């Protein structure tokens, strides 16, 4: 897994994907005009309402549990890579992203550390978060990002064709060439009732893509604290690196 490709968590879920592409050291452009939606959305009342509802859904989500399926279409592979897993989130900064099939992998992020565990390899990575990216980390993995923040880097439009029932399809296109060199576009299928993402797609500039579909989504339910603690077997080799989850700045 060469870089983090999840979907976004507190459902600001655009986020995970969007965040992946943001330059880690770039100075952001000025805030969008009204501080809530980007300029192009202000000209489209329906788009503006959807984005505002999306923001509210993020603010109102304190915990979240969901199952997910992931499909990666890569130019170098004849067939897509399919995975299945579970996501747990506790505001403001606790995340557990766990692949169950075909290979189990567990990624846990808390206030002070990042931990990745690969059971089949008897290997793990544990890194103090502040040592590497400090306070900016959670912005880059998408947690807590608002539409105004995403609007600094992406133009929004509402797709006219959408095959996923009871959703609105948002298409995000990078504003800057530096970002377009890595990201072609991002798509977010927003549930028409909950205004949380039902599906996300991240398309790279080279044509590779990752599609995440969420199911059995439950928000504002109790998430056991133990979900964010990972006890490693004694025979697991632990290193201090970002090799698996790739949260370092080089991935952006």
């Amino acid at each position: 897994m060469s870089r983090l490709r999840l979907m976004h968590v507190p459902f600001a879920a655009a986020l995970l994907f969007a965040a992946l592409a943001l330059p880690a050291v770039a100075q952001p452009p000025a805030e969008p005009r009204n501080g809530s939606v980007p300029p192009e959305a202000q000209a489209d009342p329906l788009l503006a309402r959807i984005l505002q509802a999306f923001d509210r859904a993020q603010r109102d989500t304190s915990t979240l549990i969901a199952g997910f399926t992931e499909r990666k279409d890569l130019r170098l592979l004849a067939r897509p890579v399919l995975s299945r897993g579970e996501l747990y989130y506790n505001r403001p900064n606790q995340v557990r992203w766990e692949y169950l099939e075909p290979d189990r992998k567990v990624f846990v992020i808390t206030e002070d550390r990042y931990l990745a565990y690969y059971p089949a390899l008897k290997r793990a990575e544990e890194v103090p978060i502040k040592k590497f990216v400090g306070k900016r980390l959670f912005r880059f993995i998408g947690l807590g990002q608002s539409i105004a923040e995403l609007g600094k880097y992406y133009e929004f439009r509402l797709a006219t064709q959408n095959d996923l029932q009871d959703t609105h399809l948002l298409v995000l296109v990078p504003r800057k060439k530096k970002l377009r060199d890595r990201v072609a576009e991002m798509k977010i299928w927003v549930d028409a009732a909950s205004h949380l993402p039902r599906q996300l797609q991240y398309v790279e500039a080279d044509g590779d893509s990752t599609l995440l579909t969420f199911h059995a989504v439950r928000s504002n339910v109790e998430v056991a604290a133990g979900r964010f603690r990972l006890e490693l077997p004694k025979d697991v080799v632990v290193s201090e690196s970002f090799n698996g989850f790739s949260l370092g700045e080089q991935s952006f």
Side-chain angles (χ1 to χ4, degrees):
M1 200 164 61
S2 62
R3 68 184 66 170
L4 172 60
R5 293 177 184 156
L6 309 179
M7 69 63 162
H8 176 39
V9 191
F11 280 172
L15 322 171
L16 231 276
F17 282 166
L20 294 178
L22 300 184
V25 295
Q27 293 298 316
E31 289 282 350
R33 278 201 298 271
N34 65 9
S36 60
V37 297
E40 64 272 9
Q42 296 174 29
D44 184 337
L46 176 58
L47 176 57
R49 286 197 297 271
I50 293 169
L51 295 181
Q52 289 166 348
F54 187 85
D55 261 353
R56 285 196 299 272
Q58 287 190 61
R59 292 194 299 269
D60 293 343
T61 300
S62 59
T63 66
L64 186 138
I65 300 174
F68 69 86
T69 57
E70 178 187 270
R71 174 187 172 123
K72 290 181 180 290
D73 288 283
L74 308 175
R75 292 175 302 116
L76 298 180
L77 297 180
R79 295 181 179 180
V81 179
L82 304 178
S83 305
R84 181 182 70 85
E86 296 174 344
L87 164 68
Y88 300 88
Y89 165 71
N90 185 30
R91 191 162 62 190
N93 47 20
Q94 292 181 318
V95 182
R96 181 186 180 111
W97 185 268
E98 182 169 1
Y99 288 89
L100 301 174
E101 295 177 348
D103 300 310
R104 185 168 178 252
K105 299 185 288 284
V106 187
F107 304 96
V108 174
I109 296 173
T110 60
E111 295 85 349
D112 58 359
R113 69 170 183 165
Y114 149 77
L115 178 62
Y117 174 40
Y118 309 90
L121 300 176
K122 295 186 178 181
R123 187 173 141 249
E125 299 165 357
E126 186 170 11
V127 182
I129 285 174
K130 291 182 180 180
K131 177 179 178 181
F132 290 88
V133 288
K135 297 179 181 180
R136 295 172 63 87
L137 171 64
F138 290 101
R139 195 180 91 177
F140 284 113
I141 66 168
L143 299 178
Q145 273 194 104
S146 66
I147 290 298
E149 183 71 15
L150 285 172
K152 298 173 183 178
Y153 302 95
Y154 293 89
E155 295 180 4
F156 291 79
R157 65 177 175 84
L158 191 59
T160 56
Q161 294 184 335
N162 177 14
D163 295 331
L164 189 58
Q165 191 174 7
D166 298 325
T167 66
H168 304 291
L169 175 53
L170 301 177
V171 180
L172 284 67
V173 179
R175 294 183 183 276
K176 301 291 185 178
K177 181 181 182 304
K178 185 175 181 180
L179 190 50
R180 289 195 298 270
D181 288 342
R182 296 190 295 278
V183 183
E185 67 179 12
M186 181 172 68
K187 294 180 179 179
I188 308 169
W189 286 261
V190 179
D191 187 275
S194 69
H195 296 102
L196 297 177
R198 290 244 305 267
Q199 197 165 262
L200 301 170
Q201 186 177 39
Y202 176 83
V203 183
E204 299 183 49
D206 62 6
D208 288 353
S209 67
T210 301
L211 178 68
L212 284 165
T213 302
F214 298 97
H215 56 86
V217 177
R218 293 178 289 156
S219 60
N220 299 326
V221 296
E222 184 177 357
V223 181
R227 291 288 184 185
F228 308 105
R229 293 193 294 268
L230 200 55
E231 299 296 330
L232 300 176
K234 293 183 179 180
D235 61 348
V236 171
V237 176
V238 181
S239 63
E240 291 191 358
S241 71
F242 281 131
N243 292 336
F245 211 41
S246 297
L247 287 179
E249 294 184 359
Q250 67 275 11
S251 295
F252 303 100

